[in-house]
């Protein structure tokens, strides 16, 4: 694994390896000194063409806990913004000596293009590209699902996948990179994926996905999912374009108090009727796709998701950067700059 | 940068009578039995044994013919492209009439129709005359300007169609290509008005509301890639409307770059009803599919978008059976920066003049879907008939205009856009091996391409844009 660009292309073994490594990283995060020397002397650049403080901070924390140097670029107020071509960006990052680039971009495929550029030394991590993919979000969701089931069963999650689990994703599937990454990853890990959304918010072609589609969310809940993942509804989808009103959306697809009562009685991962897990990629629109009670329910794993995000991102950076190339690259980086290329002035 | 200076006597160099006679030896017209052809004074002067005999007489009279050995090569009527973007005036960084028409010659085209979406748009007599003149001065191929349907291609009011028709460019084909004439009333009026000038409307069929922000074909691949989809119905609904409008007002409609199976079915239905409609397909829609978009390489971004394998199959069948009349390249060169960027920001379009014939050989000849005679129909005869060019797209016969191309069907080459004559490097076939090479192109008997390379234009220009001594 040289880059992490999508979960569609992620093999079962690689996914498990990331999740198992994330378990080790969670243990580190639980210690008093939350730091490993693994990536000392390595440089991780976060390149965010789209605002997402939460994701950027999560990656930054992950890199720092592995002792990497972190450079942050955001679209606003830096040269790395619209108008600078992808090619120039590649060259700039190369000149900075980045070992890994964490890229968030509004354009689908931007991370793929960066990785496909003629620039072989740098690992690219897709931190969300348009409405295409957000692989680390799906990995942290998978970690949350796996841990939830292992805890219910009182077993060690390591080495296990999600076979036998049923996960329902509700909301704007059409515009959601989180939904896409989850569908592929959860399927790869053996889970049964169900989707529920207004037909206007499902992509043409969804019938070819490895997922069961329900327009009726109550029918989807009848299928007894172990977890319900509620997606955020963007304000710009409201107002009649995709569904008549926020109120109608909430009534038909929201995790209302009434539906929370149903979720609380589902068999859940322990199969003992203690309820299904509730996941949300955040930030939650209370009163729209999720009621306040559901947001604050003990079944809600949103805070776990946040901490699992750091563990998963540590695992990804660790696996991408401390592979076989590690010692070589480390000594290169440690050596004084023998070749002060004029390009470095670009930084 | 050197400027092109045109010596005053240049025009006389282009006179057909002054052209050296050419004896083509052993070429196979339409893939038939080998024969010799003698080109003289802009026409095919003799075929078979008569050709060599005439050449001998001419040599004795002091005008020896240029001999072109063409054993194993197929002779075809010069290709006629109804759909070319030459970018001049306004985007000379992308292409000029000079570079685009030289690319055309290298691709075997003896006539191209320059679309109107230049800057300014070709919506007046002045602009179409300018493009026409630039084409004549270049002398690599015939450049026939297309006139805009609406002022500035804005889709609001009719451009001066009559003035363009009466101009020295004699425009007959009107198109807002790049934009759809989406207003049904305006489209109706355009179809009606062109009847007065014996013209026709070439529609870029794309319902704008159904394709706002669209990035690629809407289907399984767009669902996975999370890109806003470009539904087939956005093309098909406009074609359905337009064939009914054309029938209602009794006018001629040409449908540009048909890209879906559904469009083919609508056109087949319209033709069976007697509607005066003709249709075009591009080489890239005969070969490439939306699967290519998985690479996120913007070289595959094009309008209309690459569709599915089912659509490709339907388009090939329709071209073979005549439902689709012609191949048009939609040659759309772009400067590098327009493609070296994120997919969503990239320009739409791909180059095509220099790869059209190889792609057709790969998709239609080598698959057994058509023979060389049918290929000549769809690349030369039908497009010339649609535009009503009396002397173009004619059969290879004595007395006809000597617009000819010699193709070596056996030579396979890897496409290297850096070697192309077009300024555009945005070829979707880069690195792909394709069959067939244009060895020679004759424009009214004048060899503009020899040995697969530019020779001299009819006005004496060479590939480095100087005028030959
Ligand atoms: Zn077009």
């Amino acid at each position: 694994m040289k880059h992490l660009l999508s979960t569609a292309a992620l093999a079962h073994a690689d996914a498990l390896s990331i999740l198992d490594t994330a378990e080790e990283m969670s243990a580190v995060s639980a210690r008093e000194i939350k730091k490993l020397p693994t990536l000392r002397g390595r440089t991780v650049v976060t390149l965010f063409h789209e605002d997402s403080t939460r994701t950027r901070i999560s990656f930054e924390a992950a890199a720092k806990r592995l002792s990497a140097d972190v450079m942050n670029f955001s679209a606003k107020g830096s040269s790395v913004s619209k108008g600078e071509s992808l090619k120039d960006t590649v060259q700039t990052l190369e000149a900075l000596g980045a070992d890994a680039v964490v890229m968030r971009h509004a354009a689908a495929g931007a991370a793929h293009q960066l990785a496909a550029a003629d620039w072989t030394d740098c690992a690219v991590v897709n931190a969300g590209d348009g409405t295409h993919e957000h692989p680390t979000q799906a990995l942290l969701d998978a970690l949350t699902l796996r841990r939830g089931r292992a805890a219910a069963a009182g077993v060690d999650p390591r080495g296990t996948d999600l076979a036998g689990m049923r996960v329902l994703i509700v909301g704007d599937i059409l515009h959601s990179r989180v939904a896409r990454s989850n569908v592929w990853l959860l399927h790869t890990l053996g889970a049964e994926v169900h989707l529920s959304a207004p037909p206007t918010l499902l992509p043409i072609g969804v019938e070819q996905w490895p997922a069961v589609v329900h327009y009726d969310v109550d029918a989807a809940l009848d299928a007894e999912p172990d977890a319900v993942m509620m997606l955020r509804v963007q304000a710009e989808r409201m107002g009649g374009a995709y569904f008549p009103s926020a109120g109608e959306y909430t009534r038909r697809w929201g995790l209302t108090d009434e539906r929370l009562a149903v979720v609380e009685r589902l068999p859940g991962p322990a199969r003992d009727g203690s309820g299904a897990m509730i996941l949300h990629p955040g930030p939650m629109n209370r009163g729209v796709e999720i009621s306040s009670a559901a947001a604050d329910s003990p079944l809600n794993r949103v805070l776990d998701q946040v901490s699992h995000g750091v563990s998963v991102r540590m695992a990804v950076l660790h696996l991408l950067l401390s592979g076989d190339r590690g010692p070589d690259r480390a000594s290169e980086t440690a050596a004084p700059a023998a070749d002060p290329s004029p390009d470095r002035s670009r930084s | 940068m050197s400027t092109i200076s045109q010596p005053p006597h240049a025009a006389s160099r282009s006179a057909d009578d002054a052209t050296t006679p050419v004896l083509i030896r052993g070429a196979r017209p339409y893939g038939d039995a080998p024969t010799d052809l003698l080109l003289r004074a802009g026409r095919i002067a003799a075929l078979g044994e008569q050709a060599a005999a005439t050449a001998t007489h001419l040599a004795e009279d002091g005008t020896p013919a240029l001999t072109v050995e063409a054993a194993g090569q197929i002779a075809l009527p010069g290709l006629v492209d109804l759909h070319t973007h030459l970018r001049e005036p306004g985007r000379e960084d992308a292409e000029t009439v000079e570079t685009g028409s030289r690319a055309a010659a290298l691709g075997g085209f003896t006539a191209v129709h320059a679309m109107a979406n230049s800057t300014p748009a070709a919506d007046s007599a002045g602009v179409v005359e300018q493009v026409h003149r630039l084409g004549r001065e270049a002398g690599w191929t015939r450049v026939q300007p297309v006139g805009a349907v609406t002022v500035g291609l804005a889709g609001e009011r009719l451009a001066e169609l009559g003035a363009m028709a009466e101009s020295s460019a004699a425009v007959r084909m009107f198109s807002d290509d790049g934009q759809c004439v989406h207003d049904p009333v305006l489209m109706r009026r355009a179809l009606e008005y062109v009847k007065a000038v014996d013209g026709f409307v070439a529609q870029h069929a794309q319902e704008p509301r159904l394709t706002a922000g669209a990035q690629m074909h809407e289907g399984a691949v767009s669902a996975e890639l999370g890109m806003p989809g470009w539904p087939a119905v956005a093309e098909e609904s406009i074609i359905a409307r337009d064939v009914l409008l054309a029938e209602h007002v009794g006018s001629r409609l040409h449908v540009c770059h048909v890209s879906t199976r559904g469009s083919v079915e609508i056109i087949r239905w319209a033709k069976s009803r007697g509607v005066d409609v003709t249709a075009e397909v591009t080489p890239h829609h005969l070969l490439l599919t939306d699967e290519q978009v998985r690479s996120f390489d913007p070289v595959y971004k094009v309008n209309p978008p690459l569709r599915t394998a089912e659509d490709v199959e339907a388009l090939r069948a329709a071209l073979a059976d005549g439902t689709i009349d012609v191949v048009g390249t939609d040659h759309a060169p772009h400067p590098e920066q327009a493609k070296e960027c994120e997919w969503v920001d990239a320009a739409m379009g791909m180059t095509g003049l220099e790869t059209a014939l190889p792609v057709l050989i790969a998709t239609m000849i080598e698959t057994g879907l058509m023979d060389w005679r049918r290929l000549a129909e769809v690349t030369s005869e039908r497009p010339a008939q649609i535009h009503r060019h009396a002397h173009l797209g004619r059969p290879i016969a004595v007395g006809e205009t000597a617009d000819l191309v010699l193709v070596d069907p056996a030579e396979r080459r890897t496409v290297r856009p850096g070697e192309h004559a077009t300024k555009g490097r945005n070829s979707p076939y880069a690195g792909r091996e394709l069959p067939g090479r244009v060895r020679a192109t004759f424009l009214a008997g004048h060899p503009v391409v020899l040995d697969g390379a530019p020779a001299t234009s009819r006005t004496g220009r060479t590939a480095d844009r100087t005028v030959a001594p």
Side-chain angles (χ1 to χ4, degrees):
Chain A
M1 201 173 65
K2 178 161 167 40
H3 308 289
L4 179 65
L5 303 175
S6 67
T7 60
L10 195 62
H12 185 270
D14 286 332
L16 271 198
S17 155
I18 293 169
L19 296 182
D20 288 349
T21 308
E23 291 293 345
E24 310 298 329
M25 297 302 173
S26 290
V28 172
S29 296
R31 297 190 325 205
E32 201 169 330
I33 298 169
K34 301 179 169 58
K35 225 167 171 163
L36 284 179
T38 330
L39 299 184
R40 185 168 293 150
R42 317 297 293 281
T43 299
V44 175
V45 175
T46 65
L47 183 65
F48 275 53
H49 291 245
E50 203 182 62
D51 280 340
S52 176
T53 311
R54 299 157 59 97
T55 305
R56 188 179 55 74
I57 285 175
S58 180
F59 270 108
E60 191 175 347
K64 285 183 170 165
R65 284 183 194 176
L66 295 171
S67 305
D69 297 323
V70 181
M71 287 190 239
N72 292 316
F73 281 80
S74 68
K76 283 170 188 162
S78 93
S79 62
V80 188
S81 60
K82 215 171 163 72
E84 183 172 13
S85 77
L86 209 57
K87 189 182 188 182
D88 293 337
T89 304
V90 170
Q91 288 166 349
T92 304
L93 294 174
E94 191 174 29
L96 288 173
D99 296 288
V101 173
V102 176
M103 188 192 218
R104 163 66 66 97
H105 203 294
H112 282 75
Q113 290 178 276
L114 197 65
D118 188 18
W119 180 33
T120 51
D121 277 353
C122 188
V124 178
V125 180
N126 181 5
D129 61 326
T131 51
H132 175 221
E133 284 233 26
H134 192 358
T136 58
Q137 176 71 41
L139 285 159
L140 74 87
D141 290 335
L143 189 70
T144 306
L145 293 167
R146 190 172 82 155
R147 288 192 132 201
R149 179 163 73 168
V155 299
D156 184 346
R158 280 173 293 190
T160 66
D161 63 12
L162 303 178
M165 289 195 90
R166 187 174 297 144
V167 181
L168 169 63
I169 305 174
V170 183
D172 183 355
I173 310 294
L174 178 64
H175 301 99
S176 176
R177 53 190 167 213
V178 174
R180 282 183 179 78
S181 284
N182 264 300
V183 167
W184 316 130
L185 181 66
L186 300 184
H187 173 71
T188 297
L189 291 173
E192 185 181 305
V193 182
H194 291 241
L195 304 173
S196 184
T200 47
L201 291 176
L202 287 164
I204 294 291
V206 72
E207 63 282 355
Q208 294 181 40
W209 287 10
V212 182
V213 175
H214 310 261
Y215 298 145
D216 180 349
V217 76
D218 296 308
L221 289 172
D222 287 346
E224 299 190 345
D226 298 292
V228 180
M229 185 185 298
M230 303 304 298
L231 301 175
R232 187 179 162 77
V233 182
Q234 305 286 342
E236 65 262 31
R237 316 281 179 231
M238 301 178 195
Y242 289 89
F243 47 85
S245 67
E248 175 154 328
Y249 181 86
T250 304
R251 281 194 301 280
R252 293 183 67 99
W253 287 279
L255 184 47
T256 57
D257 290 351
E258 294 72 26
R259 291 198 182 99
L260 176 63
V262 174
V263 169
E264 283 168 345
R265 290 194 302 273
L266 286 173
R271 311 306 296 175
D272 63 355
S274 60
M277 293 181 266
I278 298 170
L279 279 70
H280 193 295
M284 295 185 281
N285 282 322
R286 288 169 184 254
V288 184
E289 76 269 3
I290 189 163
S291 73
S292 239
D296 297 330
S297 160
L299 294 172
N300 196 312
R301 303 302 167 96
V302 171
L303 293 179
D304 284 349
Q305 287 175 276
V306 173
S307 67
H308 293 162
V310 178
S311 302
V312 153
R313 286 160 184 141
M314 287 173 79
V316 167
L317 291 172
H318 175 85
L319 290 169
L320 290 178
L321 291 182
S322 59
D324 291 336
R325 302 173 303 144
D328 254 16
R329 293 278 304 170
S331 61
E332 262 174 46
T333 317
D339 174 27
S341 140
D343 277 355
R344 295 206 170 241
S345 61
R346 292 173 55 103
S347 64
Chain B
M1 294 291 290
S2 61
T3 52
I4 308 163
S5 60
Q6 196 67 38
H9 64 274
S12 67
R13 292 184 59 93
S14 70
D16 294 338
D17 288 351
T19 305
T20 308
V22 177
L23 177 65
I24 300 169
R25 291 169 54 93
R28 297 162 54 210
Y30 309 102
D32 296 344
T35 185
D36 296 347
L37 300 92
L38 185 77
L39 317 183
R40 190 187 172 203
R43 298 191 175 273
I44 299 172
L47 286 170
E49 287 175 9
Q50 195 63 42
T54 310
T56 306
H57 287 305
L58 286 169
E60 287 165 4
D61 291 349
T63 46
L66 170 73
T67 302
V68 176
E69 296 296 342
Q73 296 172 25
I74 312 285
L76 296 170
L79 277 56
V80 177
D81 188 9
L82 285 180
H83 198 145
T84 315
H85 296 276
L86 292 180
R87 303 297 189 215
E88 191 174 4
R91 288 309 304 265
E92 290 81 356
D93 57 327
E95 192 81 289
T96 61
V97 172
E98 166 71 23
T99 56
S101 59
R102 196 186 322 133
L106 282 163
F109 291 90
T110 50
V112 298
H113 294 70
M115 279 298 181
N117 62 340
S118 49
T119 315
D123 59 1
S124 66
V127 177
V128 293
E129 288 186 345
Q130 178 193 1
V131 172
H132 194 226
R133 179 176 45 81
L134 288 168
R136 270 203 325 271
E137 287 170 1
W140 293 104
T141 192
R142 297 168 210 278
V143 175
Q144 172 62 53
V146 176
V149 175
T150 67
V151 175
L153 280 67
E156 286 163 6
R157 56 198 173 90
L158 291 178
E160 291 195 337
L161 310 184
M164 290 188 275
E166 285 169 8
S167 75
S168 62
V171 174
R172 293 292 178 272
M173 175 175 177
F174 297 93
S175 180
D176 276 1
D177 183 63
Q179 306 292 325
C180 180
V181 183
H182 60 89
D183 180 330
V185 175
L186 199 57
M187 185 60 182
R188 175 207 167 130
R189 300 293 181 227
L191 284 165
E192 285 178 313
Y193 197 84
V194 296
K195 292 196 289 182
V197 296
D198 192 28
F200 64 104
V201 177
Q203 175 72 295
H204 170 118
Q206 179 190 356
E207 211 296 313
R209 292 276 294 140
L210 283 171
T211 52
Q215 295 296 316
M216 64 175 295
H217 172 68
E218 184 168 39
V221 181
S222 68
E224 196 175 323
L225 301 186
M227 294 227 234
W230 193 311
V233 62
E235 173 174 315
E236 294 156 2
S237 58
I238 293 289
I239 296 175
R241 180 199 75 178
D242 287 354
V243 295
L244 294 171
L245 284 174
E247 179 180 50
H248 180 60
V249 304
S251 186
R252 287 206 291 146
L253 171 71
H254 177 68
V255 185
C256 297
H257 43 49
V258 169
S259 73
T260 78
R261 187 173 64 167
S263 299
V264 167
E265 287 168 7
I266 293 163
I267 291 161
R268 186 174 288 133
W269 171 83
K271 286 187 167 185
S272 74
R273 228 173 122 91
V275 178
D276 200 351
V277 58
T278 53
E280 162 193 287
V281 64
T282 72
H284 46 271
H285 287 111
L286 292 171
L287 181 61
L288 306 174
T289 69
D290 60 348
E291 290 292 330
Q292 259 86 21
V293 184
R294 292 182 187 279
S295 69
F296 292 103
D297 185 340
V299 80
Y300 299 114
K301 186 173 177 183
V302 66
N303 177 349
L306 301 176
R307 305 285 188 182
T308 69
E310 279 188 344
D311 294 304
V312 167
E313 199 186 338
L315 294 169
R316 289 181 182 185
L319 184 63
D321 73 20
T323 305
I324 293 178
D325 299 80
V326 302
V327 173
T329 65
D330 199 2
H331 173 79
H334 287 291
E336 256 179 67
Q337 68 273 14
K339 289 289 191 182
E340 280 188 341
C341 58
E342 292 81 348
W343 180 281
V344 66
D345 294 327
M348 289 182 279
M350 28 183 78
T351 60
L353 285 169
E354 288 162 89
T355 48
L357 198 45
V359 170
L360 289 176
I361 293 171
T363 56
M364 304 303 295
I365 298 284
E366 292 193 342
T367 53
L369 286 168
M370 63 169 56
D371 57 15
W372 294 100
R373 280 203 182 260
R374 174 71 188 145
L375 185 121
E377 282 172 24
V378 300
T379 58
S380 179
E381 292 167 21
R382 284 295 289 147
Q385 286 163 8
I386 288 169
H387 202 284
R388 301 191 175 160
H389 291 295
H391 304 292
L392 304 185
R394 299 291 302 160
I396 300 175
V398 173
E400 300 289 357
T401 305
D403 283 2
L404 289 173
V405 54
L406 298 176
V407 192
D408 180 351
E411 185 171 342
R412 304 186 77 88
R413 287 203 301 164
T414 302
V415 177
R416 301 191 198 290
E419 296 171 0
H420 285 172
T422 172
K423 285 191 179 183
R425 294 293 169 261
N426 50 312
S427 170
Y429 315 110
R432 192 188 279 256
E433 193 187 84
L434 289 173
R437 179 173 192 182
V438 171
R439 301 296 309 181
T441 306
F442 301 92
L443 182 63
H446 177 90
V448 286
V449 172
L450 282 175
D451 297 324
T456 59
S457 79
R458 286 181 81 196
T459 49
R461 291 188 191 178
T462 60
D464 58 9
R465 303 191 65 183
T466 55
V467 174

